[in-house]
Amino acid sequence: MGPDEKTIICRCEDLTLKRLRELIASGYTTVDEIKRISRAGMGPCQGRTCRALIEREIAAMTGVPIREQKPAKYRQPSRPVTFAAILGGEPREEDC
Amino acid sequence: MKKTADAVIIGGGVNGVSIAYNLAKRGLTNICVLERNFLASGATGRCGAGVRAQWGTEMNLRMSMASVRMFENMNEELDYDDDIEFNQGGYLLLAYTEAGWEQFKKNVALQKAHGLQVELLTPAEAKEVVPHLNTEQLLGATYCPTDGHCNPFKVTDAYAKAARRLGVEIYTNTTVTGIERDGDRIQGVHTDRGYVSTPVVVNAAGGWSQDVAAMVGLEIPTHSERHQILITEPVEPMQRPMVMSFHHNLYCQQTPHGSFIMGLGDPTEKPGYNMEASWQFLEEMAEKITWLLPPLRHIRVVRQWAGLYNMTPDRTPILGPVEEVPGFYLACGFSGHGFMIAPMVGVLLAQSILGQKTEIPIEPMSLGRFARGELFREPSVV
Ligand SMILES: Cc1cc2nc3c(=O)[nH]c(=O)nc-3n(C[C@H](O)[C@H](O)[C@H](O)COP(=O)(O)OP(=O)(O)OC[C@H]3O[C@@H](n4cnc5c(N)ncnc54)[C@H](O)[C@@H]3O)c2cc1C
């Protein structure tokens, strides 16, 4: 196994650096597209670690600097929350 | 970008790429798809991914049954290097009113006459299919085991790759700004990246279909409406079928990946292009789903979003040529179920454009039906 097969970019969804590079090479050149085809950034942490890593890799491979990349949309809720908590039946985790 | 094409398809959602593939497969390869953002960035990539044949009109039934068979063989048919993740866990439809239950009986009779494997279930039988279902107030249910769900990004990707291999050009980040006509006939398409001359334009612009139709001076009876949806963290597999209640206006499925996806229709939603997610939706969804499927209480929501349904007055799509504008074709107004029938939409549009006999008569679904007053009466929609 090469090092980029072992390097995990998205820990929630197990996206490896190798797979990420293949996706970028095959034409998925924005965070939004990579998210949708690979699920990277769709897990419980909602892209908190992988998003920046993916942007950096896109910049390295396509030459489009991060500040010129179309930012992916951040979606609510900002932290995972149970239905019970939404209904007010149990304390929000961040409160305990 | 191409200077001339035999056909231009506006919209890179699942329907646009399905039409492109089907045209190319039948020999029309000098064609292109124009997409403003990226593929599946519209309703396709935002949808509930549900695929069912349990419909109440013959037309929807025939379209969806044929499409289910195509989803079953799609990885092979499109020689896809990935997997469209078609998972046939069935659909369980719930009835809470006498009228709803009577309608289900009629639907099932029609569905059986068309050869669909479908059953009427008592509440106790429904609970066998979904053990965590709260059967309070439930009158009965219908269940079709061959219904299911499928990954919309992958389906779009599969069609796009197969279309490209046949020579189709797909231009993303390309916005159509106008359509050129000479008299009635279509001449070409203006985009922010140049002009393509073409005799045939297909309007597969999803929630923006009415705007694209206006580019040829045509008013079509479609409007857009926000629909909201959410997804939870992945948990152990516990629910095979999609659960759907027209009475509560909701649907909920567990994906093969383990997350639950669920959405609600809001009868007070105004026509428009708003795609923002709201806190009210989260609360209403939480209330309804924890009543209907109580163990979901303790599962975490990770993300919510919204997309546009493109609605027609009879909640049935508008497909095929437009008499007043030769060369202009419609594939829009899917009214919230345009993912599941996209395989058949592609076939019918391609056959119609090429002047071939369509596998299912397309004329009843044409724009002309509204002027003729020949509307469909689809009773089974969320
Ligand atoms: C929340 C939600 C849940 C749903 N659940 C289901 C379900 O479970 N099952 C089901 O079958 N259906 C479902 N649907 C409906 C389904 O998503 C749509 O009917 C289907 O995806 C429509 O596909 P399309 O290709 O016609 O349109 P879209 O996917 O919307 O594609 C149209 C494309 O046209 C592009 N476009 C528009 N104007 C222009 C322009 N001027 N120039 C260039 N490009 C343009 C847009 O960017 C867009 O990408 C749901 C929809 C929503 C919103």
Side-chain angles (χ1 to χ4, degrees), chain B residues 10-17 34-51 91 174-177 204-209 212 215 225-229 242 251 253 263 305-310 331-332 334-341:
Chain B
I10 304 175
V14 68
N15 284 295
V17 292
L34 306 178
E35 165 54 47
R36 176 163 53 198
N37 297 314
F38 51 86
L39 294 181
S41 58
T44 299
R46 299 162 184 271
C47 83
V51 174
Y91 254 61
T174 304
T175 304
V176 172
T177 52
W208 298 270
S209 70
V212 168
M215 292 177 188
E225 188 180 283
R226 172 180 67 168
H227 277 252
Q228 303 198 57
I229 181 163
M242 172 82 99
Y251 57 87
Q253 55 130 321
W305 67 93
L308 299 177
Y309 276 21
N310 194 228
C332 57
F334 290 103
S335 305
H337 54 272
F339 171 61
M340 65 181 80
I341 56 172

Side-chain angles (χ1 to χ4, degrees), chain A:
Chain A
M1 228 164 51
D4 51 356
E5 274 171 73
K6 277 188 242 151
T7 310
I8 303 286
I9 296 289
C10 169
R11 282 179 294 183
C12 304
E13 302 290 348
D14 285 339
L15 177 74
T16 61
L17 181 56
K18 177 166 183 282
R19 178 82 183 123
L20 173 63
R21 287 183 173 155
E22 287 167 2
L23 289 173
I24 299 171
S26 68
Y28 301 98
T29 52
T30 60
V31 175
D32 263 330
E33 287 166 281
I34 288 167
K35 170 177 158 189
R36 284 164 174 76
I37 202 76
S38 73
R39 308 193 46 89
M42 288 190 174
C45 92
Q46 290 293 295
R48 276 192 175 68
T49 27
C50 66
R51 184 181 296 229
L53 298 174
I54 295 172
E55 284 170 348
R56 217 165 60 197
E57 201 53 36
I58 292 171
M61 286 182 66
T62 65
V64 179
I66 292 172
R67 61 174 185 284
E68 284 169 27
Q69 291 175 24
K70 203 171 161 194
K73 183 140 171 98
Y74 278 97
R75 301 215 186 266
Q76 298 156 268
S78 55
R79 295 231 165 137
V81 53
T82 63
F83 288 110
I86 293 166
L87 294 173
E90 60 185 40
R92 295 283 198 94
E93 270 159 87
E94 54 266 54
D95 300 337
C96 7

Side-chain angles (χ1 to χ4, degrees), chain B residues 21-228:
Chain B
Y21 164 76
N22 278 285
L23 279 171
K25 181 185 160 186
R26 287 166 180 74
L28 200 73
T29 53
N30 179 28
I31 62 177
C32 60
V33 177
L34 306 178
E35 165 54 47
R36 176 163 53 198
N37 297 314
F38 51 86
L39 294 181
S41 58
T44 299
R46 299 162 184 271
C47 83
V51 174
R52 66 168 155 132
Q54 293 186 71
W55 287 97
T57 61
E58 177 167 353
M59 192 54 87
N60 278 334
L61 188 56
R62 290 182 68 185
M63 293 288 292
S64 58
M65 280 181 74
S67 295
V68 166
R69 282 191 291 272
M70 291 165 80
F71 280 120
E72 285 170 346
N73 301 309
M74 193 170 283
N75 285 327
E76 295 76 30
E77 153 84 15
L78 301 181
D79 198 11
Y80 191 35
D81 60 358
D82 199 333
D83 177 10
I84 62 161
E85 297 167 13
F86 187 35
N87 177 33
Q88 290 172 289
Y91 254 61
L92 185 71
L93 304 185
L94 307 173
Y96 288 90
T97 62
E98 281 302 332
W101 184 232
E102 287 310 309
Q103 186 62 53
F104 276 15
K105 289 183 194 162
K106 282 189 209 142
N107 292 356
V108 165
L110 178 73
Q111 291 157 1
K112 284 198 159 163
H114 280 81
L116 187 68
Q117 193 188 341
V118 58
E119 298 303 329
L120 286 164
L121 303 185
T122 61
E125 289 166 334
K127 205 166 168 68
E128 279 169 31
V129 181
V130 176
H132 56 286
L133 179 71
N134 171 10
T135 53
E136 247 174 273
Q137 298 167 24
L138 183 66
L139 296 184
T142 66
Y143 177 63
C144 167
T146 52
D147 289 347
H149 45 79
C150 193
N151 186 323
F153 307 117
K154 299 282 176 84
V155 172
T156 307
D157 190 49
Y159 272 120
K161 281 181 175 156
R164 284 194 184 108
R165 282 197 304 272
L166 292 168
V168 175
E169 297 284 347
I170 298 178
Y171 303 110
T172 54
N173 292 308
T174 304
T175 304
V176 172
T177 52
I179 299 173
E180 202 63 46
R181 288 168 68 183
D182 179 12
D184 287 337
R185 287 214 78 86
I186 298 285
Q187 290 291 306
V189 175
H190 293 282
T191 79
D192 58 351
R193 292 173 57 187
Y195 180 75
V196 196
S197 151
T198 180
V200 171
V201 167
V202 183
N203 177 357
W208 298 270
S209 70
Q210 52 279 7
D211 303 345
V212 168
M215 292 177 188
V216 295
L218 191 68
E219 228 181 275
I220 58 173
T222 56
H223 73 264
S224 295
E225 188 180 283
R226 172 180 67 168
H227 277 252
Q228 303 198 57

